[in-house]
Amino acid sequence: MWNGDIHRTPSLVVRPVSAREVAVCVRRLAGSGTDFTVRGGAHNYAGHAVADGAVMLDLSMLDSVVVEPDSQRARCGGGATWAQLDAATQVHGLAVTGGFISDTGVGGLTLGGGLGWLTRRAGLTCDNLVSAQVVTATGQIVTASARSHPDLHWALCGGGGNFGIVTEFEFRLHPVPPMVQLAMLFWTPEQAAAGLAAVRDTMYRLPRTYGVAIFGLSAPPEEFVPEHFRGRPGCAVGIAGWDEPYRLTAALAPLRAAAPAPAWELVTPIPYLALQQMFDAAAPWGMRSYEKSLYVDDLGDAVLEAIAAAVPRKGSPLTLVPIFPLDGAYCEVPEDATAFSGPRSPGWAINISAACPDPATFDAERAWVRELWDTLRVHARDDATYVNFLVENDPDRIRRSYGAKYDRLAAVKAAWDPRNVFHHNANIPPAV
């Protein structure tokens, strides 16, 4: 498992190589009352892919990717990773919104929503889910789309792994040139709140084709970082554009005019595939990891000051606070069009993510996450969370996160999984 804090042991691991074999497994396991889990990419803080004594259905053999460039569609197996999907689609100058870590599984990210560099440009991953091949709780193989089983398709677009095992995803792709113009500006803690306030105040002037992400982090030990800043805490903004370098320069001008001078910066062309892998080193396999998240309508000064003050107190250089803007194409999807747990009005998703190479410091780092989260909760939107960032099994928070959509999700669950066979997830019990 990716999260080194997960120590559960399955009784058996089964690696099916087709949807038919997945269906056979589900019929036998569910029919005998045997508990089982589903492993896609296993890049999950909560470790839903494994349970003590349960059978694990490992989908890693279902990782094929087929791209249809003329129709701008891609089909990929339920065990594929974003590195595999990105590599196949970028051959044709196409992509769909993926995460920020390339070994993340396509399945888990999509079913929970899917935030990434392309969110402003193309919406969430689940907004681009055209159809899904699903093995149901009774071991049937069905295709869910807007025309076929639309209720199931709706629930799969953000409702998590509650409704079946997706063995193949079909995505709508978007033209995304292979080269990106990237700017990353870093401020020390003393200047961080002012720098991020300038980002907040100028970001909405950026074309929606630009990707934006904010980070509270430790400067990485890379050559592009001046040596005396490597490992030092602070806050940064990453801005990615897909046009000529001079247009990025022009787009950054309002930010530079409003913000303090950064302690260091990186402005460079970079392949999109490299951008997608840029933070892999910050989330290595096997780290003890923990996270909490929330939504805010605005990055008010109090929010930014709290983050800037907290970042120097973190203990691990790999712990970070990624902040994602929710605007552009994200807001153009009607509120009820998907089951996604976040509101479709403009705002921000804040994630507080601990990663510890030293197990002895993990308890303190987890406490740091909880302390910052408690500080920011007063500014949060309805105590909702992005379910892909939900670690604890908290039924009340799951219900609050989905809000008015929860009852509809419970009804779909009752129709497709009335016995709650698929319960190792951010679980939505079937309606009674």
Side-chain angles (χ1 to χ4, degrees):
M1 303 300 295
W2 171 82
N3 185 355
D5 193 45
I6 304 300
H7 305 294
R8 300 187 288 270
T9 304
S11 61
L12 183 72
V13 176
V14 182
R15 293 195 173 100
V17 298
S18 67
R20 184 188 64 82
E21 288 191 354
V22 174
V24 168
C25 291
V26 170
R27 285 197 295 270
R28 292 196 177 187
L29 294 168
S32 64
T34 302
D35 192 26
F36 66 92
T37 64
V38 182
R39 182 190 189 278
H43 190 115
N44 176 259
Y45 283 75
H48 292 311
V50 62
D52 282 327
V55 173
M56 175 193 287
L57 297 187
D58 179 358
L59 305 185
S60 58
M61 303 295 287
L62 300 175
D63 64 349
S64 65
V65 181
V66 177
V67 181
E68 301 170 357
D70 291 340
S71 61
Q72 297 188 350
R73 297 286 189 270
R75 294 180 179 272
C76 74
T81 65
W82 280 103
Q84 293 170 302
L85 181 57
D86 283 336
T89 57
Q90 275 288 278
V91 170
H92 307 283
L94 299 168
V96 64
T97 305
F100 287 82
I101 309 297
S102 69
D103 62 12
T104 300
V106 171
L109 187 80
T110 302
L111 295 175
L115 294 165
W117 286 106
L118 300 180
T119 302
R120 302 181 74 235
R121 180 190 191 111
L124 299 169
T125 313
C126 71
D127 296 339
N128 295 282
L129 181 62
V130 176
S131 68
Q133 182 186 71
V134 186
V135 175
T136 70
T138 58
Q140 294 178 292
I141 301 174
V142 303
T143 297
S145 68
R147 295 184 178 181
S148 175
H149 305 301
D151 58 338
L152 178 58
H153 179 256
W154 175 84
L156 294 172
C157 293
N162 278 284
F163 309 97
I165 301 174
V166 179
T167 51
E168 184 180 77
F169 296 86
E170 180 187 2
F171 292 110
R172 180 187 309 107
L173 303 177
H174 300 262
V176 176
M179 292 302 295
V180 179
Q181 304 299 325
L182 175 67
M184 182 163 288
L185 282 61
F186 178 94
W187 293 277
T188 61
E190 297 77 17
Q191 301 290 337
L196 297 188
V199 175
R200 173 200 64 202
D201 296 339
T202 61
M203 192 209 70
Y204 293 113
R205 305 183 205 175
L206 290 173
R208 58 180 283 171
T209 53
Y210 280 51
V212 179
I214 292 171
F215 303 93
L217 78 174
S218 297
E222 301 290 347
E223 290 186 2
F224 60 80
V225 178
E227 187 171 358
H228 60 286
F229 282 114
R230 295 174 191 171
R232 288 182 58 181
C235 292
V237 61
I239 298 174
W242 281 265
D243 45 26
E244 298 84 352
Y246 77 89
R247 293 189 183 277
L248 177 62
T249 300
L252 287 174
L255 171 59
R256 291 191 184 280
W264 58 265
E265 63 181 76
L266 171 70
V267 181
T268 183
I270 183 175
Y272 176 70
L273 293 179
L275 177 70
Q276 287 290 86
Q277 299 169 16
M278 190 172 185
F279 288 94
D280 285 5
W285 201 270
M287 293 293 102
R288 291 177 183 259
S289 302
Y290 179 81
E291 67 181 349
K292 293 184 81 71
S293 73
L294 44 80
Y295 297 115
V296 296
D297 290 319
D298 183 51
L299 290 179
D301 291 346
V303 171
L304 298 179
E305 289 165 5
I307 294 170
V311 167
R313 298 198 300 268
K314 68 188 184 70
S316 169
L318 299 180
T319 293
L320 73 163
V321 184
I323 304 172
F324 310 108
L326 305 175
D327 71 321
Y330 168 90
C331 295
E332 294 175 357
V333 176
E335 189 76 42
D336 295 330
T338 70
F340 177 65
S341 62
R344 291 294 182 156
S345 54
W348 301 79
I350 301 177
N351 179 227
I352 311 167
S353 172
C356 281
D358 178 10
T361 64
F362 181 58
D363 287 345
E365 207 70 355
R366 180 167 49 196
W368 178 88
V369 171
R370 290 170 174 166
E371 181 182 355
L372 178 54
W373 183 75
D374 282 337
T375 299
L376 297 178
R377 280 185 77 184
V378 67
H379 308 285
R381 178 189 282 173
D382 300 331
D383 202 27
T385 192
Y386 176 34
V387 294
N388 278 349
F389 292 158
L390 186 61
V391 175
E392 287 95 353
N393 181 19
D394 187 343
D396 289 338
R397 192 132 200 261
I398 294 170
R399 178 183 286 274
R400 291 195 301 271
S401 294
Y402 285 110
K405 299 177 184 179
Y406 186 88
D407 288 344
R408 181 179 174 186
L409 284 165
V412 176
K413 177 78 168 180
W416 290 95
D417 184 15
R419 292 164 49 202
N420 205 9
V421 169
F422 302 112
H423 61 273
H424 291 287
N425 43 49
N427 194 235
I428 300 170
V432 178

